[in-house]
Each structure stands twice: as C-alpha cells, then as structure tokens.
Amino acid sequence: PDSLSELAAKVAAANVPFQLVEERYNRVPEPVVLKLITWSFPRCEADIRRYSALAYEPNDLCPPKQCGEIRQGTTVANAQGEARSSPARDLKHRTLQPDASEGQDVTFRKGVTLAESGAVRQSVQIGFHLSGVVHDNPKTSTPCKFNVAVTFDRCKVTSSTCNCQHGDGIFFCRHVVALLIFRMRNSRKVKLRAPISDTLQKLSRDQLQKLTQYLLSRHANVLPTAQEIADCFSDVNSSINAVHGAPDPTAGAGFQDEDRWNLDDSHVTNHVRQLILESTKQASANQLFNMIGKIREMMKVRDCNGARLLTLLTEELLRQVPNSNSVQHNDVCAKLWDQIGLLWICIVLNPRKDSESKSKVLELLTSWNEDPHCPPEDSFTDAVSGNNPRDRSVLSRAMDACSLRWDDPHLKLILRRERKKRGRAEGEGGFANFSSDGKPLWHENTPIACARVEALRSHGYANESVRLARAVARTIRENAISGFKLYQSSSHSQLDTLPVKKNNGYGLVGHPLNPIHILFDTLMVAAINKGKKYLTYHTLFKTDRGDHIIETTKRRNQQQNIVSEAFEVCLLGVGEQRCMPSNARAQEKVLSCEKMLIEQLERLTLDDELVQVLREVTTLLMEGGPGSGLGKRVHRESVPIHSFANYLFKALLPYDRKLVFRMGLQAMRMTVLDDLEEPQDVSHEQPPLVLPFTYPATWSVIGDLEARQYQLASTLLQTAKGEVMLLRLVVESVQRHMRNGSHVFQLSHDAFKCATNQSGAAPSDITMLNVAMQLAMQVLRMTMQGGTWRRTEMVGWLVTCATEIGLCALVSIIKTWYTLFTPVEASTMVAGCVISPNTAVRLNLDPRQREQLYHSVCQMAMQCAVKDPQSCALRSLSLCETYTSAFDAVYHVIVDSSNKRRIDSAQLFTIARYLDQRGFNSQAFTVAHAATRRLRVPFNHDAHPSANDLLWTTQLAQSLVGMTELEDLILVIVNKVRCASVLSDVLRTCTSSISGRMPNGNYGNRGLRADRGPLRPLLEAAIAAYVKTIHNKLSHISPRHYTEFIDFLNKARETFLLAPDGHSQFGCLLANLKTIYKGKKKLLNLVALRFG
C-alpha cells in the first residue's frame, strides 16, 4: 500500500495549486516537490482521449483503478457515469459490447500507436512542463520529427504546442497524445527535474552567466530578446525592476489560474464558425453534432470546459445564422438549437451550482434571449412561467429553469433512496407523494421533471438520476391509470355526446426537451449497468453459498423491474393522445421522435414480464378516455399513431390475436381527414363508397402519416388472410379511413400477391382475390372525380383482378361500370380488355358464355353512348356492330344527341364516314346532314377543317337520295356557310359531270346545272359571298397581296360565269370596283390588264 506521504501528495497534486504549497510552507523538501510534480500529471487515459477526438463517449476504456483517484472527494469513475450509446441493443444481446465509438477517435489511437512503437524520444519533465520529440514515421529512413511540449497542473493539461499541421487548435494532435500516453505509461523513462527556478537558485553567479551565454550561443534567434531584457535591467523605472522574481514556465499554477483543461477560445470560435458556414456538407454537420456530444461528455465528468464550449457555440451560432438562407443549413441550426436549449437547462439545474453562478448564467441567457437572431420557441405550451409563447425563444426554458430548486423535502427523499412508505401521504396541492404500493412519486410538469433527470445524469449523478426517473415513470403510470378509472366510472352515454377537447396539448413525444427519450434512455442504461455488474459478480464469485445466490437473483430482479418501467413509460408516452403542432418543423420532429422511440422498442427482446406489460398498456390505451391516442374518441387534430399501433400489433400478435386486431382496426382512423363522424358500430353498418374529406392546410407531414397508415393496413390485411370476417372488417376500415388512392392501390396489389403466393399448383385464395378486387374498386371510386396519372393502370388492374376471379366478377364490374369508370374508360380500355381473345382463353369460356359477356359489353357501350355521346358514340358503334339491336340503339342515341347539340359537327362527320365505310349509307347521310346543321363557316375561313366533309356529304346526297333531300341540304349549306371559296367548291362538285361511285370509294354526281333546281340558291349565295369578300379584302389590302387578290378575283369570275348573266354581273362588279377604289391605281391597272 502507498505511504501516507504518497497519498497526501496525490490529493494535494489534484486539488491544490503549487503556489499555495510554496507560500504555506517556508521550505518544501525536494523529494516532496518531486512527488507533487509527479502526481500533478494527468492520470487517466480517458481524459486524454476526451480531448483528442470529437465523437467519443466514455466506456470501459481503462480499469477504474486508473481513473478512480481521489479528486475533491469524488472519484472520476463515479463522475463519468454510464455510456449512452444504443442501450436497447445492448440489453437485447445481454452481452458486453465493444466501444461504440471505435473508429471515431482516430487521433487518439494513432497517438497510442506512436507511443507504443517507440516514436517518443528525448522526453523530459521539468517541473510542470513536459517536452519531447515524436518521430511520426520511425520505421522509415528519414522520419519526420515533431517537437512537442505541454504544461499541466492539478491533473489537467493547461497548454500544448506542436509544430505539426494535424491539430485543429481545439483538441490534441496525435503527437501530443503520443507524448502524454508515453509519460503516463512510462513515467520512469522520463527524466524528472524540479522547476527551473529551483535549479537556478542552486547555481553561482559564474554558472548563471555561463548558462546564459551557452543558451544564447545555441539559440541565436533569441539574442534580440535577451538584449531587450538586459536593457530593461539598466532602466531603473522598468517594470522588470519593479517586480520581485521572474516568471517560471515550469513552476505550475498560481492562485488566479483557472483549474481547467486547455481550451483556446479563439481556435474554438474560428473552428465553429467554419463548421456553421459549411453546415450544408454532411461532414461539417456531423462535427457540429459531435461537438454537442463532446459537451455532454465533459459535463458528465464535471469538466468546466463543457459550459465554456457550449457558451462559445451558442454565441457563434447567434452570430452566423442570419448569413444563410439554405434550407439544409436552417435545419441543421434548428436541431442544434434544440440540443443547446436542453444543455443550458442541464447547466442551470446543476445541483452543485450556487445562486451566484445561476445569476451569472441567467444574465448571459437574458442577453442572448434579447438578440433578434435568437430563434423562437416551438409551440409547446408547458413553460414554467406564464409568458406569452410568441415572445419566447429557445433559451426561455433555460431561463425559467433558473427558478427551479432542489431543496424540496420529497425530492430529497427520492434522490437519497427509494424508500417505501405505508399508505398514501398527501403532499402539497393534494397530490399523493407515494403510490399505492408505497413507492415515491414526483408530481411536476413531466418535461421539466425529465429535464431534472437529464441534468442529474449530465453532471455525473447517475444513481440519483435513475431514482428520479423511476419516480417520474411511476407518476406517468399512475396518472394514466387514474384517467382510465375516471373515464370508466363516468357515464359513457354522457361522454359520447360531449365534444372531444385537446386534453393533452401537444404531448411528450416530439417535445423540445425529449422527456420520453430521457426517461427511457436513463432507465435502460441503468438496467444495462446493473446487468454488467451482475455478470461481473457472477463470473468472479462462483460459489454455492446461499447468500450469494439470493444477491444475484435480487440484482437480476431489480434489472428486470427497471426494464419493465422503461418499457412501460415509453409505451404510455408514445400512446398518449397529442395534437399536431402548427409549425412544420415541429410536426416533422413529432414523427421522427415517435419513429426513434419505436425503433428502440423493437430492439427489445420481449420476455413474459414485458409481454404482460405490453398487454396491460394496450388494453389501458384502448379503453382509456381522451388521454389515449388509441381510445374510442380522439380530437380531430390529434396525431395518428399508426406506426405505434403497427408495433403493438406485431409484438402482441403471438399472444393475444383478438386484442391486437381490435386495436389495429381502431387505430386505422385519421381523424383530421374524417369530415363525417364515425359510427360507433362499424361491423353492422355499410360504409359509404367514398367519404368526403379535405386535406388540412397546416399539416405538412400528411404524406408521411398516410404512408404509416398504409403500413398498418397492409399488416392487418396480410395477417387476416384466411379469416373472412376479419378481412371484411379490414376492408371496411380501409374504405372508411384511407384517403390516399395510391396507397389503397398498393394495398390491392399486396392482397393480390398474398392471394396468388401459393406453393406448387395450389389454387389462388379466392377470398383474398375478392379483397384485392374490392380495394381496386375503391381506388377507382376515389379517383374518378379528381383523376390521377395512374388512372389507366388502376383501370387495367381492376380488370386483371376480376379476370383472375372469373366470369361473374367481370360481369359484375360491367353492370356497375358507372360507379367505377368514366364512359371513355368503360368503352375503350375496359371493353377492349373484356372482349379480347386472351380473356376468353384465360377464363376458358364456352360460346354461350362468350355471347353473354359480349352482350353485357354492348349494354355497357350503349349506356356509355347515352352518358357521353361526344366521346363514346363512335367506339360504341364499333363495339355493337354485330349486335343489331344494340347498334340501332346507339345510332338513335347519336341522332338524338345531335339534335340536342351534345355532339359537335367534327365528331358527327367522323361517325358518318364510319357508317358509310361499313355500308350504312342512309344512316351515314342522316348523321352527316345533322353535322351540317351544326356547322358554322365564316366568310374568311377558306381552309375550314370541315370543307372536305361538306363536299363528301354533297356527293353522298347526290348518289343516295332524291332531289327534295338534296334541296334541303343545299338550303342548310347556304344558311351555315358564309365562305365564298367553300360555297364555290360545293357548287362545282354538284355541277360536275362525273356520276356513280369512284374506284377510291368517293361518290360522283349527276351533273346538275347551277342555274336551275336545287343549286340556284347555292349559286346566288356563292356570288353574294364573293362580292362581300372582295369588298372586305379591298378595304385593308396592301401591295404585297395584290397578286393573291387577282387570283381570288379570277376564281370569283369562274363562279360568276356559271350564271346565265354571269359575265355582265362580273363586269358590273369590276366597274363598281373602279369607281369605289379609284385611289388604288396600281391594283386597278393590274385588274384591267387581267380582265380588260
């Protein structure tokens, strides 16, 4: 064992500055000085590692005897507490895991490698100064040498220098790490000397002069500085002569020096500024969040640099945020502010912090809070003070926490030990301070209470934080049970008529303080640590003594109780009813926090005790009142918890199938989209085909919520396979609650895949196929009005599902087509797929069944033509061509629709040409005549798209009908057509001498005279149109159009000459033009040259 002087030197070196020792005692023996110097060097490698890498969390790096030395009455090992990484995963495997941060502390490992490989040479310790040369590549012929020097005091490195470029100015480079590790592991190989001032005192004047001259000769670069100091000695009024003694860089710290590890503020500020400016890069963002982890790590070992680093980070973040408008940059900064706010709460809630220190922190927070760049607080209304939330910033909660105290007697009782008390003692405000089984409770605002837990944990009070966390968890459980009993004791008929209110506000999940995360993490880490202690004890002390067996069993039971409490509080927190915040980022945080908690729950291995807890909590949430998110009635703006319900369903399915299906169906709702009240008994009431709904304008995460709803529905659907009643309930729930057509469509695919996923040649599951078809029908109903780019795919999918089922399913969707398809879809895609030969072969239809199916399609085609004749008439005619009665019905629909102006002239001409090509010439003329009545051709529209249709109609009329019908058609053309060119073309067609049908299928005519019979009105109309058009062209004609006008006038003359007195009429027209437009001499000259 160490001697008393050795123990005293250890304690004094860790807590007392060397100047105090020198002034307290007139003469300190040199052996004592050397002992103090020796033990003043850092003793724990974990401390070196902490200051050599950003992302390091303390673990079992070194045995407790290396870092558990006495320091201010508390061991470093106790201050470090427990690791926080992946507690649930560690508990699941029930084994000691390696350091999770391995690979992130590269600098430390490289430094250790250098120290172990003999790269550290010429190491010497003079007082509190250590120096050495580090060879970075000692195995090469030309190694790189780096001069390293560090100073230390009270087991902390107070400064470090190295001439390399690998350090970032904040943490140690690998060469400094190598020198420090070498000194810690090989202290006897390092030359130890007293402070240089003690050595100089022993030298004579000649020796001092010789030392100075040798020093100047070997280091000539300091000669100017030496001369400057010598000149100061000559000056009586210089500051050197006014001060007794001289500075000694090896003499240790003085009274005014801070007892902390070296942290250069300027380097930290510059480094943080650079990281914030480059926060859009993932590497820089990771370093910023690693710095937050480093702050937590420092606080846990009670290192004052944690608060110092947090201060610098906060100030630089306030200074740099307004410089960028990048979305990614703002997102990173917002997440940083959440962590910073919680860390400042932990700092002000430090139990060891006195009122004066709190006042200084409050003053600092107040100054930052008044900065206009300080971001506002998220909309969670649980602040300690009653200030307006709109005037609060992210630091307001930390300012409120300054008023919280630790001197409450019941709180002290909780932190001291968990002590059972008989009965239920009432505390202040009427709350019970103890549960029914005598365990203490803590009635405080839950996020604030959890902030206390985090503060205790952050400052190294691991046991106290676990005790308070267990009390808070029990309080949450007691409140949930009390609410359940109150709801059950109330009149259900009376409660069901009352409107649902926002009972829980915005809840605990997604809260800026992360209360559920804090409780779960704290309790799980405590359970892991107790498990490690049990494993160590069981390994080291294998014995058959009964007391040891009882002790190990007790520890295992205690560990299991803590796990059960963590599991239960996490279930209750995620399952509570909470309303969606209005802020978009807060909404995203609610969902991400819920996802992370569920992932933690999924990592747990459920034993019998946890399964029982899971069953009880699920029942409590389902039967609970308005406080539960799985209750029967929730607020319209409450956050859906489909992911949580999906976890409960999968976890509890092997143990209670009936309960999980009831829970899953109840959790399918999304009340924010349900504009209609949900019936209480959904099993006996048929839901409407498509419920109306509107998307909330303020919910930016509705897409994520709908995706989670789909995941739950898919799980329910696939698990219910083979149970008809359950499948019916699931389908009804989907029809009632799911509003996203794409997700319902995907659900139909899942059901189809589940139905056809059979091994071998086994037939498909007809029940699941019917489910797939019902969901496909639901998709088409949902998207019929709004439409979607996947509509064509959805229509084809329904036909595929119906074909897979059989003929009856196809006939069924054909008979109810108007509820599923538009007329165009029904008459094209659906009809084409149904009557295709592949469908008949797939269904193995006989001739009678084919005829039945074809008649059904024809009936559908007729109905499509009635509902949308413009788009479906032609397709319906082609479908019903071999079904005479249906064909005639469609034809009469077309005629009737043309009279009611439901089909335009272009479509009517197309139908008429189709009829003519099929040999229905009489019907073709009727339709073409109707199209002509719908036609309008203005006087200046020479290239009208229906001009050729008019010519074709005229030819058809001359070939098929009598003079009366032709005269009728001519009168219609005269009334509808005002274009001279079109009228003249029709007139020439009628007067052509070609008759009969041409080889190309067009019709000729009988060579009628233009000045007689039915064509005379057409001739007069053509001449009148030409006269009007000529005057219109001349009113705004330009010289470049003169040639075009002469050609038009020549065509007019040809039409005029068809009349008996056409020549004289045309001459009168020219004379009239010369009189009216005598100013256009050039044009008139051209006219005279051409026409005389």
Side-chain angles (χ1 to χ4, degrees), residues 721 751-759 762-765 768-769 804:
K721 180 181 179 181
F752 188 87
K753 188 184 300 182
C754 188
T756 56
N757 189 19
Q758 302 287 345
S759 59
S764 301
D765 188 339
M768 289 298 291
L769 286 177
E804 190 72 22

Side-chain angles (χ1 to χ4, degrees), residues 382 444-452 507-508 511 513 515 518:
D382 62 351
E444 189 178 30
N445 181 273
T446 304
I448 301 301
C450 294
R452 288 182 183 269
L508 301 177
H511 191 280
L513 300 183
I518 292 173

Side-chain angles (χ1 to χ4, degrees), residues 90-223:
D90 291 340
L91 188 67
K92 180 176 180 179
H93 296 293
R94 307 281 177 164
T95 57
L96 294 176
Q97 300 295 330
D99 187 7
S101 63
E102 187 175 352
Q104 296 179 345
D105 53 336
V106 181
T107 302
F108 178 79
R109 288 190 283 108
K110 286 184 177 181
V112 172
T113 302
L114 290 174
E116 293 175 346
S117 62
V120 180
R121 302 172 189 174
Q122 304 175 26
S123 58
V124 59
Q125 179 179 341
I126 304 174
F128 295 86
H129 183 277
L130 175 67
S131 62
V133 178
V134 179
H135 295 242
D136 203 354
N137 297 309
K139 295 182 180 180
T140 62
S141 57
T142 57
C144 298
K145 300 179 181 180
F146 297 97
N147 298 319
V148 183
V150 297
T151 59
F152 53 89
D153 174 58
R154 282 170 280 184
C155 301
K156 301 177 184 67
V157 175
T158 56
S159 68
S160 64
T161 58
C162 179
N163 59 343
C164 72
Q165 302 296 326
H166 301 292
D168 57 10
I170 304 178
F171 300 102
F172 302 147
C173 66
R174 58 177 178 263
H175 310 114
V176 174
V177 173
L179 179 63
L180 294 173
I181 295 298
F182 181 81
R183 163 62 177 81
M184 296 172 68
R185 297 183 179 181
N186 306 279
S187 58
R188 296 187 178 182
K189 296 182 180 180
V190 179
K191 298 177 182 178
L192 180 61
R193 299 290 185 269
I196 194 65
S197 56
D198 294 349
T199 303
L200 294 177
Q201 285 180 354
K202 299 177 182 179
L203 300 179
S204 65
R205 181 183 181 284
D206 293 338
Q207 290 174 329
L208 288 173
Q209 184 174 359
K210 186 179 294 186
L211 172 65
T212 305
Q213 290 177 342
Y214 268 104
L215 185 63
L216 293 176
S217 64
R218 294 185 181 182
H219 301 281
N221 57 328
V222 300
L223 188 58

Side-chain angles (χ1 to χ4, degrees), residues 9 12 17-37 128 194-195 198 201-202:
F18 187 68
Q19 183 182 359
L20 180 62
V21 176
E22 288 182 318
E23 293 190 0
R24 178 68 61 89
Y25 305 98
N26 294 330
R27 181 180 177 278
V28 181
E30 185 174 348
V32 176
V33 172
L34 294 178
K35 284 185 179 181
L36 287 174
I37 293 173
F128 295 86
D198 294 349
Q201 285 180 354
K202 299 177 182 179

